[in-house]
Short mmCIF file of all heavy atoms in Angstrom, two decimals:
data_model
loop_
_atom_site.label_atom_id
_atom_site.label_comp_id
_atom_site.label_asym_id
_atom_site.label_seq_id
_atom_site.Cartn_x
_atom_site.Cartn_y
_atom_site.Cartn_z
N SER A 274 51.29 -25.29 -14.94
CA SER A 274 50.82 -23.96 -15.64
C SER A 274 51.94 -22.99 -15.56
O SER A 274 52.19 -22.31 -16.50
CB SER A 274 49.58 -23.54 -15.04
OG SER A 274 49.07 -22.36 -15.54
N GLN A 275 52.51 -22.86 -14.39
CA GLN A 275 53.57 -21.85 -14.23
C GLN A 275 54.77 -22.20 -15.14
O GLN A 275 55.29 -21.27 -15.69
CB GLN A 275 54.05 -21.74 -12.80
CG GLN A 275 53.07 -21.11 -11.85
CD GLN A 275 52.74 -19.67 -12.10
OE1 GLN A 275 53.48 -19.01 -12.57
NE2 GLN A 275 51.45 -19.35 -11.80
N GLU A 276 55.14 -23.36 -15.22
CA GLU A 276 56.24 -23.85 -16.20
C GLU A 276 55.94 -23.52 -17.52
O GLU A 276 56.81 -23.05 -18.27
CB GLU A 276 56.57 -25.34 -15.96
CG GLU A 276 57.13 -25.74 -14.67
CD GLU A 276 58.49 -25.14 -14.42
OE1 GLU A 276 59.33 -25.09 -15.42
OE2 GLU A 276 58.87 -24.68 -13.35
N LYS A 277 54.75 -23.79 -17.98
CA LYS A 277 54.30 -23.47 -19.37
C LYS A 277 54.41 -21.95 -19.66
O LYS A 277 54.89 -21.50 -20.73
CB LYS A 277 52.86 -23.98 -19.64
CG LYS A 277 52.45 -23.84 -21.05
CD LYS A 277 51.01 -24.47 -21.29
CE LYS A 277 50.61 -24.24 -22.68
NZ LYS A 277 49.29 -24.91 -22.85
N LYS A 278 53.97 -21.20 -18.66
CA LYS A 278 54.02 -19.56 -18.83
C LYS A 278 55.54 -19.07 -18.99
O LYS A 278 55.80 -18.33 -19.86
CB LYS A 278 53.40 -19.01 -17.59
CG LYS A 278 51.90 -19.06 -17.63
CD LYS A 278 51.35 -18.35 -16.39
CE LYS A 278 49.83 -18.54 -16.34
NZ LYS A 278 49.26 -17.99 -15.18
N LYS A 279 56.38 -19.85 -18.20
CA LYS A 279 57.87 -19.43 -18.37
C LYS A 279 58.43 -19.84 -19.61
O LYS A 279 59.19 -19.25 -20.28
CB LYS A 279 58.66 -20.06 -17.22
CG LYS A 279 58.30 -19.42 -15.84
CD LYS A 279 59.07 -20.02 -14.75
CE LYS A 279 58.74 -19.40 -13.46
NZ LYS A 279 59.35 -20.12 -12.37
N LYS A 280 58.07 -21.09 -20.12
CA LYS A 280 58.63 -21.68 -21.33
C LYS A 280 58.21 -20.82 -22.52
O LYS A 280 59.02 -20.59 -23.41
CB LYS A 280 58.05 -23.13 -21.54
CG LYS A 280 58.61 -23.76 -22.73
CD LYS A 280 58.01 -25.24 -22.76
CE LYS A 280 58.40 -25.88 -24.13
NZ LYS A 280 57.89 -27.18 -24.27
N TYR A 281 57.02 -20.43 -22.70
CA TYR A 281 56.44 -19.70 -23.80
C TYR A 281 56.64 -18.08 -23.50
O TYR A 281 56.06 -17.36 -24.43
CB TYR A 281 55.11 -20.07 -24.20
CG TYR A 281 55.06 -21.53 -24.72
CD1 TYR A 281 54.47 -22.59 -23.95
CD2 TYR A 281 55.53 -21.77 -26.06
CE1 TYR A 281 54.48 -23.82 -24.46
CE2 TYR A 281 55.49 -23.03 -26.39
CZ TYR A 281 54.92 -24.09 -25.72
OH TYR A 281 54.90 -25.36 -26.23
N ASN A 282 57.25 -17.76 -22.43
CA ASN A 282 57.48 -16.38 -22.20
C ASN A 282 56.07 -15.54 -22.17
O ASN A 282 55.93 -14.55 -22.92
CB ASN A 282 58.38 -15.73 -23.13
CG ASN A 282 58.96 -14.33 -22.59
OD1 ASN A 282 58.86 -14.19 -21.38
ND2 ASN A 282 59.56 -13.69 -23.41
N MET A 283 55.14 -16.06 -21.45
CA MET A 283 53.74 -15.56 -21.42
C MET A 283 53.63 -14.32 -20.50
O MET A 283 54.09 -14.53 -19.27
CB MET A 283 52.67 -16.53 -21.05
CG MET A 283 52.38 -17.65 -22.05
SD MET A 283 51.09 -18.57 -21.47
CE MET A 283 51.14 -19.85 -22.75
N ASN A 284 53.33 -13.22 -20.97
CA ASN A 284 53.16 -12.05 -20.03
C ASN A 284 51.79 -11.47 -20.40
O ASN A 284 51.66 -10.78 -21.37
CB ASN A 284 54.24 -11.01 -20.20
CG ASN A 284 54.21 -9.90 -19.20
OD1 ASN A 284 53.26 -9.68 -18.42
ND2 ASN A 284 55.27 -9.24 -19.19
N PRO A 285 50.81 -11.63 -19.53
CA PRO A 285 49.51 -11.24 -19.94
C PRO A 285 49.33 -9.75 -19.89
O PRO A 285 48.38 -9.11 -20.48
CB PRO A 285 48.51 -11.94 -18.90
CG PRO A 285 49.39 -12.24 -17.78
CD PRO A 285 50.76 -12.52 -18.37
N THR A 286 50.22 -9.06 -19.17
CA THR A 286 50.11 -7.61 -19.00
C THR A 286 50.63 -6.88 -20.24
O THR A 286 49.94 -5.97 -20.87
CB THR A 286 50.77 -7.07 -17.79
OG1 THR A 286 50.33 -7.84 -16.69
CG2 THR A 286 50.43 -5.64 -17.59
N TRP A 287 51.83 -7.29 -20.67
CA TRP A 287 52.49 -6.57 -21.82
C TRP A 287 52.58 -7.43 -23.04
O TRP A 287 52.95 -6.85 -24.15
CB TRP A 287 53.97 -6.18 -21.34
CG TRP A 287 53.99 -5.33 -20.08
CD1 TRP A 287 54.31 -5.87 -18.83
CD2 TRP A 287 53.63 -4.09 -19.90
NE1 TRP A 287 54.20 -4.80 -17.90
CE2 TRP A 287 53.73 -3.77 -18.65
CE3 TRP A 287 53.25 -3.11 -20.94
CZ2 TRP A 287 53.58 -2.47 -18.13
CZ3 TRP A 287 52.95 -1.84 -20.42
CH2 TRP A 287 53.10 -1.50 -19.06
N SER A 288 52.15 -8.60 -23.12
CA SER A 288 52.22 -9.41 -24.30
C SER A 288 53.55 -9.45 -24.98
O SER A 288 53.48 -9.35 -26.30
CB SER A 288 51.14 -8.93 -25.31
OG SER A 288 49.80 -8.91 -24.64
#
Side-chain angles (χ1 to χ4, degrees):
S274 178
Q275 291 297 330
E276 289 297 321
K277 185 176 179 181
K278 287 179 185 178
K279 288 178 186 175
K280 179 180 176 184
Y281 292 108
N282 199 17
M283 291 183 186
N284 189 345
T286 307
W287 301 105
S288 301

